[in-house]
Amino acid sequence: MGKVIFENSISLDGYTAGPNDGPENGLGDGGEALFAWYQSGDVDFPLPGTDMSFKISRASADLLTEEWGKLGAMIAGRRMFDIAHAWGGYPPGGGPCFIMTHNPPQKWLKEGSPFTFVTDGIESAVRQAKAAAGNKNVSISSASIMQQCIKAGLLDEIMLSVAPVLLGGGVRLFDNLGAMPIQLETINVVQGIKVTHIHFRIVK
Ligand SMILES: NC(=O)c1ccc[n+]([C@@H]2O[C@H](COP(=O)([O-])OP(=O)(O)OC[C@H]3O[C@@H](n4cnc5c(N)ncnc54)[C@H](OP(=O)(O)O)[C@@H]3O)[C@@H](O)[C@H]2O)c1
């Protein structure tokens, strides 16, 4: 059985996006610094399922190759879906993509759509994504979805790519978590260029 993993780039002060994020300002004011590491090295990393490619350090490329190779399905929230303009219909990873929303968009409710819209709660989203992923992992991409997973005891691991920037405001990752503390174990730390990848296991 695969794991449920949250993967995200984060500022050192805990933001997944800067202030004023939206479809015309994806990562918010100053938030592009979170993804500076995507173009910081000399190793090509084609993003599976898309026509995008990163240029990153060897250390980051080795890590991403391993992690993306284990990816079976993805869950994101409606804000990320809208901000990413539905990834032009090609969600990263190329696997089944589940979007949590209260109002599924008509445009993507059609035969052959790469998206499944989930309206009946986080347990249902994780159950459906796990079934689609088979033995592979389910990747969580949005802050609010990760928070719901942690509260429901559904998240296994957290993989943060920490960017060397202090954003000072924006979308905080680890809000709304309810009862604290939540204990973590560090699995590994990988130093890239303009990024430090830290992989944690949630102690249950
Ligand atoms: N730094 C990174 O690596 C990275 C990666 C990806 C995204 N981001 C950033 O993360 C931000 C998006 O994350 P976010 O946490 O703000 O929003 P989000 O999780 O993408 O979307 C939140 C929305 O999802 C829907 N939703 C969430 N839980 C639901 C539930 N249980 N049932 C039904 N619908 C539900 C609701 O939309 P409706 O009620 O409207 O349907 C809710 O407003 C953006 O700023 C994006 O740029 C950063």
Side-chain angles (χ1 to χ4, degrees), residues 24 47 184:
E24 306 312 322
L47 193 60
L184 309 173

Side-chain angles (χ1 to χ4, degrees), residues 20-172:
N20 305 312
D21 63 322
E24 306 312 322
N25 189 24
L27 287 168
D29 300 343
E32 65 280 355
L34 299 173
F35 284 179
W37 67 275
Y38 284 167
Q39 301 300 332
S40 66
D42 55 9
V43 179
D44 286 314
F45 182 82
L47 193 60
T50 76
D51 58 5
M52 289 188 287
S53 190
F54 302 154
K55 264 200 161 316
I56 54 183
S57 66
R58 168 54 59 201
S60 292
D62 288 347
L63 185 68
L64 292 200
T65 300
E66 186 183 341
E67 291 304 319
W68 283 88
K70 291 188 276 192
L71 180 66
M74 158 183 171
I75 309 174
R78 178 64 187 271
R79 288 195 70 235
M80 182 173 168
F81 174 84
D82 287 342
I83 284 173
H85 303 278
W87 303 275
Y90 297 95
C97 181
F98 296 82
I99 305 297
M100 297 208 65
T101 181
H102 296 94
N103 298 297
Q106 284 301 321
K107 180 181 173 191
W108 292 103
L109 291 175
K110 59 183 180 190
E111 187 79 26
S113 170
F115 305 110
T116 301
F117 297 95
V118 182
T119 58
D120 57 349
I122 191 67
E123 285 85 359
S124 171
V126 170
R127 186 170 57 250
Q128 292 184 56
K130 277 187 158 183
N135 289 330
K136 292 188 147 187
N137 293 338
V138 172
S139 169
I140 308 290
S141 310
S142 301
S144 82
I145 308 303
M146 170 272 290
Q147 292 159 6
Q148 293 173 65
C149 278
I150 288 184
K151 281 201 278 192
L154 295 168
L155 196 70
D156 298 310
E157 295 179 5
I158 297 174
M159 197 165 120
L160 298 179
S161 295
V162 183
V165 61
L166 300 169
L167 287 177
V171 181
R172 284 190 59 79

